[in-house]
Amino acid sequence: MAPARPARGPDIDRTEEYEDFMKRLTEYHEKRGTTLDPEPKVGPNRHLDLYRLYQKIIEEGGYDVVSDTKNNKLAWRKIAQDFLPGMQNLPTLVFTVKTAYYKNLAESAFEISDHWKEEPPPKEILEDLTAKGGDLRNRTLDNYTRTPKQENEMNGHDADGSGEEKTPKQLDGADNDEPGSTGRATRSLRQAPPQRVLFQPELASSRQTRNSSNQMNSPGPSLNSYGAPGHGQTNGASMTLANYEPRPQLPVTLKPVATPASNPEHFTQKRKAREELSRGPVTKHKGMMLPGTGYTGPNIYLRALLALQSHIPEEESYALHHLVKISHERGDKYRFDQFPGLADALTAKVLEITSLFYDVEWEICYRGGTTRDESSTLDGLQGTPDVLQKLGSKILINGDDDVQTESFLSSLGRINEAGLVLRNMVMLEENAAHLAKLSAIRDFITIALNLPKRAAAVELQHYALEIAEQVTKYFIVSPSDPLFLSLLAQLDTTDRGAIITSLRAIGRISIKLDQQYRLRDVPITVVQRVCEWLMIDDEELRNACLDFLYQFTVLIDNVEALIQSVNVEGLVNQLVRLLMWNATSEERREKPRHHSISKPQPQSDTVPKLSHDLVEQLLKYEEPDRSSHWLRACFEDDPVGEMTQIALWQAYQGCFGPLVTSTNPLLIAGDFIKNVSSTFIGASAQVADASSSTPKYIIKGIKPRMLPIDPKGRTYSRCKWQNHVQIPPTAGGKPLVVTRQCEEFARDPEMMWRHIMNDHLKIPRNPADPKKYNLSPQEGRKYNCHWGPCNHFLNGSKSPFEVGMHVKVHLTDISKQAAQRSKPTTRFTTNEPETPTHKRDTVPKTWLNTQTDERNEAAGLPLTACLVLRNLARLLPKVEVPLPGTKNDKPEEGEWVRLVFAPVQEQLYFVAAFNWSLREYVASLMKAISASGS
């Protein structure tokens, strides 16, 4: 899979200087009588910035200097490379850039007038010609000689019959190349080949008589019997063959028969004639365009807009049907500013929802307050601040949601479709900014959220909330704003979707504006409910609550209200817990703080052997998923790493070959090699030393893992038990004893301990309870510990219980008691090498990282929780609320911070030590805590 191309920025930077330059250039073209293309297209979706191009040419010395091919070679190519980075077939686009500067835009004449302050040559020898050549400033009608092709172009004729513009090299090459030349082949017509002479055999005897030689006299040379030229004469047969002409063919007279395949137009006219006869006489008006002929009418976008503005139910249904489909499929390109009136028409349509539940039909007034006091009028310019009072004064229409009329359901369907179109289109940032400028959209959101609690209104209310989530970032609201009050009212419902979307909409108010917004006058019951929702295991709900709390804790008044109404110690404890939410183990190669004399472990080139339980897990998958999980378990990405294909295939067969069944066989070699590239994006099959007699087929981009992982990403540790293997002696020699490390892997210390007890110490099970081991001493048997360099039992031990408990010393302690100890253990884990120079003050290789974004920066729940904690640490020292249970009117310096953050001090240190993603944010949090004087 090829990597995705990086997204590029806009082609033209529309600054004030650019607009002023284009204005002067337009006036110049109008004065000169030439045509201006303000944004010439030079490739797929690429346009030239004329202002930057003009500055670049002037900086290089002008058009004549850049076009000087003798003293300034490849100047246009360098300029095109700067303006069109990453474009393919760049040499072809060089002449296009030059032509855009010279001919289409007439900037060469503009340059002479604007920069050199000289009179430019007339357009007959400048813009009307191609961009070939240079020295424009010295070109006049007297010294410039036109080619015949240029004369034809000036007279309106094209020499080759096509309107396609050619490069100077194509113009020169078309005239100079000749057939048969040693130069590069041209595209001119081939010359006629030389005529061939047919072989004419001599039919008569080679011996000629005197009489026969005198029968025919010819002054020209003749052919002898061997076909060579001689002084003899040709005989009669030769002349007959030479003068033979075939008989002319007689023309055959055939009568053509018209068929639908040979003459379809004839049958089409006959069919139209029959139809006209069947319809009777029709009066034809000269010059009148009949329906269905000529102009095809507006496109679907404009037709949908006009149909929506017609207020005809059938036309509205047609328009909304297509708008829903267009906004869903082309929402990234369908914009409100391209179709003026579309946003107003959709907003007016969704406001009709009120007439289905109340006795009112809203009228949007754009006359600036002349009819603002009317109860059925909405202010389309400034918004309607009393929209809730107007809605409350209307009479509610009684109705049953279960049984409705056909007109009610059809009207409701069209309104919901209009709301869906608005919801789809505001997902584009430009549409959200455009829609936020309409005051009627604020009134619609407020009205929709205050509709009666009926099932028919639920769908449109959710659309309104999703629209509010996108447009409130452009709103300025006050605590008494009807929209703000309506969003807060949604937090009292039991609808999870409405609660989450309302919290997001409140948390995004004014974030796109330069004016800072502060969340004020929030009911304390809402704050308490938000803090309680943090305890629910719901990621989306927690994210929305944390965004709300981040905005709420910016003001000191809100923080004082928070500590008086909420258990702030429990809130901080929950926020600290969220700092490690969904943390995953990740290995990072970091240099130690102190230099060590220990040598780094060499990189392993062998495929790790998987444990039995991990192989059983992989056997549950079907191909090709099984091979993909096996590859991820044993290999990792490495741009410079490589593995031979045969070694990779043999390791795969050795792992699963004896265990697979006929119903779920292994992949064949070719499919397995292809699956490697599908599993690892950077891996590819290559041939090393292709020039040698024995090429080497490798997989580039992967390397074996030091420690395998399971499908869930959990790391397996290798057993360090040293086995003594006896090698048979050679002829006349002695047997050798070699020490080899065990190749088994285990997921956790418990599994590793059972592996040692079963496979190395070979302690039998208890017959009474097979789940337990028989730890009683066995007669005549001793047990030793061969874990790495351990020599604890030099003479062995008769107690299997003693040795079994001793083995646990080498394994990681994962008990609850170990987690509660304040002093870290000095035992070595199975994931790190056990060397004498190992020090605890080195940076750990295993990090517990939380969620990150595409730039590998902190994101999600942990980041927002850290920001809320930092707000509290900064503002708690400034509050004047006394601590509960004290008689002081004001708290002491740093007293609130000590009360809140002292119980979670160790957890914060743990996050700072092991969470690489949050290291900078936690550091700023710790700095704020220490600055409070606590």
Side-chain angles (χ1 to χ4, degrees), residues 501-791:
T501 314
S502 300
L503 288 173
R504 290 174 178 171
I506 295 173
R508 298 181 182 184
I509 294 177
S510 302
I511 63 174
K512 290 291 186 178
L513 303 179
D514 296 334
Q515 179 180 354
Q516 293 184 352
Y517 173 75
R518 295 292 182 264
L519 197 59
R520 302 176 184 272
D521 299 337
V522 179
I524 201 62
T525 56
V526 173
V527 180
Q528 293 174 349
R529 194 175 294 110
V530 169
C531 295
E532 293 173 357
W533 286 335
L534 287 176
M535 305 299 295
I536 301 176
D537 188 11
D538 189 334
E539 181 180 0
E540 291 185 353
L541 182 60
R542 284 176 171 175
N543 263 320
C545 293
L546 289 175
D547 290 340
F548 177 87
L549 287 178
Y550 175 71
Q551 297 288 344
F552 183 78
T553 54
V554 171
L555 295 178
I556 187 172
D557 295 339
N558 292 342
V559 174
E560 290 182 351
L562 179 68
I563 62 178
Q564 290 179 354
S565 58
V566 177
N567 182 8
V568 67
E569 295 93 338
L571 174 62
V572 170
N573 187 23
Q574 177 64 8
L575 292 175
V576 172
R577 288 176 54 196
L578 294 177
L579 294 179
M580 296 299 292
W581 185 82
N582 272 3
T584 58
S585 177
E586 180 180 350
E587 292 184 1
R588 284 183 175 267
R589 303 177 183 273
E590 301 293 334
K591 295 182 179 180
R593 300 175 185 173
H594 302 282
H595 294 286
S596 174
I597 60 175
S598 62
K599 297 181 180 181
Q601 280 191 322
Q603 180 178 346
S604 175
D605 293 332
T606 59
V607 181
K609 183 180 178 181
L610 304 183
S611 62
H612 298 297
D613 68 311
L614 182 54
V615 173
E616 291 178 357
Q617 294 182 35
L618 298 179
L619 285 174
K620 297 178 182 179
Y621 295 95
E622 296 183 358
E623 296 292 355
D625 294 337
R626 179 171 57 201
S627 59
S628 298
H629 285 296
W630 178 80
L631 288 169
R632 294 191 189 98
C634 300
F635 297 90
E636 60 184 345
D637 291 296
D638 187 7
V640 298
E642 63 181 36
M643 278 288 297
T644 60
Q645 297 182 14
I646 185 65
L648 197 63
W649 171 247
Q650 290 176 352
Y652 170 67
Q653 280 190 322
C655 182
F656 299 108
L659 303 176
V660 295
T661 60
S662 58
T663 58
N664 191 12
L666 297 177
L667 290 177
I668 60 176
D671 294 341
F672 175 74
I673 297 302
K674 293 179 181 178
N675 194 34
V676 177
S677 301
S678 301
T679 305
F680 298 100
I681 299 178
S684 61
Q686 300 180 5
V687 180
D689 299 333
S691 58
S692 63
S693 58
T694 57
K696 182 182 179 182
Y697 298 93
I698 63 173
I699 297 293
K700 188 74 173 179
I702 62 173
K703 69 174 183 180
R705 292 181 179 272
M706 295 295 296
L707 300 172
I709 61 174
D710 63 356
K712 295 183 178 180
R714 295 174 294 188
T715 304
Y716 276 62
S717 302
R718 184 174 180 178
C719 177
K720 297 185 179 181
W721 197 270
Q722 303 295 330
N723 295 319
H724 301 287
V725 181
Q726 185 174 0
I727 300 178
T730 57
K734 296 182 179 180
L736 299 177
V737 178
V738 180
T739 302
R740 294 179 180 176
Q741 185 176 343
C742 177
E743 297 181 351
E744 187 69 21
F745 290 85
R747 186 179 66 245
D748 50 40
E750 179 65 22
M751 187 181 297
M752 180 68 71
W753 184 76
R754 293 183 181 277
H755 158 67
I756 295 173
M757 298 290 285
N758 294 334
D759 300 335
H760 296 304
L761 296 179
K762 300 185 183 303
I763 298 177
R765 296 280 183 171
N766 190 348
D769 189 358
K771 295 183 180 181
K772 297 181 180 180
Y773 291 97
N774 184 11
L775 299 178
S776 58
Q778 302 292 330
E779 184 177 356
R781 185 179 177 185
K782 291 186 178 181
Y783 303 91
N784 291 312
C785 178
H786 298 292
W787 182 273
C790 179
N791 54 4

Side-chain angles (χ1 to χ4, degrees), residues 664-934:
N664 191 12
L666 297 177
L667 290 177
I668 60 176
D671 294 341
F672 175 74
I673 297 302
K674 293 179 181 178
N675 194 34
V676 177
S677 301
S678 301
T679 305
F680 298 100
I681 299 178
S684 61
Q686 300 180 5
V687 180
D689 299 333
S691 58
S692 63
S693 58
T694 57
K696 182 182 179 182
Y697 298 93
I698 63 173
I699 297 293
K700 188 74 173 179
I702 62 173
K703 69 174 183 180
R705 292 181 179 272
M706 295 295 296
L707 300 172
I709 61 174
D710 63 356
K712 295 183 178 180
R714 295 174 294 188
T715 304
Y716 276 62
S717 302
R718 184 174 180 178
C719 177
K720 297 185 179 181
W721 197 270
Q722 303 295 330
N723 295 319
H724 301 287
V725 181
Q726 185 174 0
I727 300 178
T730 57
K734 296 182 179 180
L736 299 177
V737 178
V738 180
T739 302
R740 294 179 180 176
Q741 185 176 343
C742 177
E743 297 181 351
E744 187 69 21
F745 290 85
R747 186 179 66 245
D748 50 40
E750 179 65 22
M751 187 181 297
M752 180 68 71
W753 184 76
R754 293 183 181 277
H755 158 67
I756 295 173
M757 298 290 285
N758 294 334
D759 300 335
H760 296 304
L761 296 179
K762 300 185 183 303
I763 298 177
R765 296 280 183 171
N766 190 348
D769 189 358
K771 295 183 180 181
K772 297 181 180 180
Y773 291 97
N774 184 11
L775 299 178
S776 58
Q778 302 292 330
E779 184 177 356
R781 185 179 177 185
K782 291 186 178 181
Y783 303 91
N784 291 312
C785 178
H786 298 292
W787 182 273
C790 179
N791 54 4
H792 188 72
F793 301 99
L794 293 177
N795 299 324
S797 174
K798 295 182 179 181
S799 174
F801 175 80
E802 181 182 7
V803 178
M805 293 298 103
H806 165 76
V807 169
K808 291 186 177 182
V809 176
H810 300 292
L811 307 179
T812 305
D813 189 0
I814 58 175
S815 61
K816 296 182 180 180
Q817 293 80 2
Q820 295 175 356
R821 297 192 187 104
S822 59
K823 184 178 180 180
T825 179
T826 58
R827 294 182 180 134
F828 301 112
T829 62
T830 58
N831 292 335
E832 297 184 2
E834 192 172 5
T835 58
T837 57
H838 181 83
K839 296 184 178 181
R840 286 173 43 245
D841 57 350
T842 59
V843 178
K845 293 184 178 179
T846 302
W847 299 83
L848 299 175
N849 289 337
T850 51
Q851 183 179 355
T852 56
D853 57 9
E854 63 276 2
R855 296 175 298 179
N856 203 23
E857 297 182 359
L861 280 176
L863 174 61
T864 318
C866 187
L867 296 179
V868 175
L869 288 172
R870 190 176 63 181
N871 287 348
L872 293 176
R874 290 175 177 177
L875 295 182
L876 280 177
K878 302 178 182 180
V879 300
E880 297 182 356
V881 178
L883 268 71
T886 60
K887 298 181 180 180
N888 299 330
D889 296 337
K890 294 183 179 181
E892 299 179 359
E893 181 181 3
E895 191 173 6
W896 270 108
V897 177
R898 286 194 298 271
L899 175 65
V900 172
F901 288 98
V904 295
Q905 179 180 3
E906 292 187 6
Q907 290 90 319
L908 291 176
Y909 284 146
F910 180 85
V911 175
F914 289 95
N915 195 330
W916 179 270
S917 305
L918 285 178
R919 63 191 186 283
E920 296 180 359
Y921 297 96
V922 176
S924 63
L925 171 60
M926 303 294 288
K927 185 177 180 180
I929 294 174
S930 61
S932 64
S934 61

Side-chain angles (χ1 to χ4, degrees), residues 133-381:
D135 197 15
L136 304 183
R137 297 173 59 189
N138 299 324
R139 182 184 295 182
T140 63
L141 292 172
D142 298 329
N143 62 8
Y144 185 77
T145 302
R146 307 183 186 91
T147 63
K149 179 175 181 61
Q150 292 173 342
E151 291 290 346
N152 292 335
E153 292 176 352
M154 293 186 60
N155 295 330
H157 303 289
D158 198 347
D160 57 356
S162 63
E164 183 179 358
E165 188 173 354
K166 298 182 179 180
T167 63
K169 184 175 293 186
Q170 291 174 333
L171 293 172
D172 295 340
D175 299 330
N176 298 334
D177 292 342
E178 296 180 0
S181 63
T182 58
R184 186 175 62 184
T186 65
R187 296 185 179 180
S188 60
L189 295 175
R190 296 174 56 189
Q191 299 294 332
Q195 296 183 356
R196 301 178 182 271
V197 179
L198 297 175
F199 173 69
Q200 299 178 356
E202 186 68 34
L203 300 179
S205 174
S206 61
R207 181 182 181 90
Q208 297 182 357
T209 62
R210 182 175 299 177
N211 295 332
S212 64
S213 64
N214 295 330
Q215 289 177 1
M216 185 178 295
N217 249 340
S218 177
S222 61
L223 298 176
N224 57 16
S225 60
Y226 296 95
H231 300 284
Q233 298 176 350
T234 59
N235 54 19
S238 300
M239 292 299 297
T240 301
L241 291 175
N243 299 328
Y244 172 75
E245 292 183 1
R247 297 176 60 184
Q249 295 182 358
L250 298 176
V252 180
T253 304
L254 298 177
K255 182 179 180 181
V257 178
T259 63
S262 62
N263 195 355
E265 185 177 2
H266 171 70
F267 286 89
T268 303
Q269 294 177 355
K270 290 180 62 178
R271 185 172 61 255
K272 289 183 178 180
R274 288 196 302 268
E275 292 177 356
E276 291 179 358
L277 290 176
S278 62
R279 289 195 297 265
V282 179
T283 304
K284 296 185 178 179
H285 300 276
K286 186 176 181 180
M288 177 179 293
M289 182 182 296
L290 298 178
T293 62
Y295 179 57
T296 58
N299 56 25
I300 185 61
Y301 304 102
L302 185 58
R303 184 178 179 184
L305 173 59
L306 297 176
L308 191 64
Q309 294 174 342
S310 67
H311 300 291
I312 302 175
E314 292 78 9
E315 293 293 330
E316 287 183 346
S317 300
Y318 168 84
L320 291 171
H321 169 75
H322 288 281
L323 287 177
V324 168
K325 187 176 181 180
I326 294 172
S327 63
H328 175 67
E329 296 178 354
R330 300 180 57 85
D332 56 335
K333 298 180 180 179
Y334 195 42
R335 298 174 53 176
F336 281 131
D337 54 4
Q338 297 175 351
F339 302 94
L342 178 60
D344 303 83
L346 290 172
T347 305
K349 185 61 183 177
V350 294
L351 282 172
E352 295 179 6
I353 187 65
T354 315
S355 61
L356 300 181
F357 299 99
Y358 296 93
D359 60 337
V360 61
E361 292 185 1
W362 297 111
E363 178 186 358
I364 302 177
C365 177
Y366 295 96
R367 293 189 294 272
T370 56
T371 57
R372 183 175 297 178
D373 296 335
E374 296 183 5
S375 60
S376 61
T377 303
L378 300 177
D379 189 352
L381 297 179

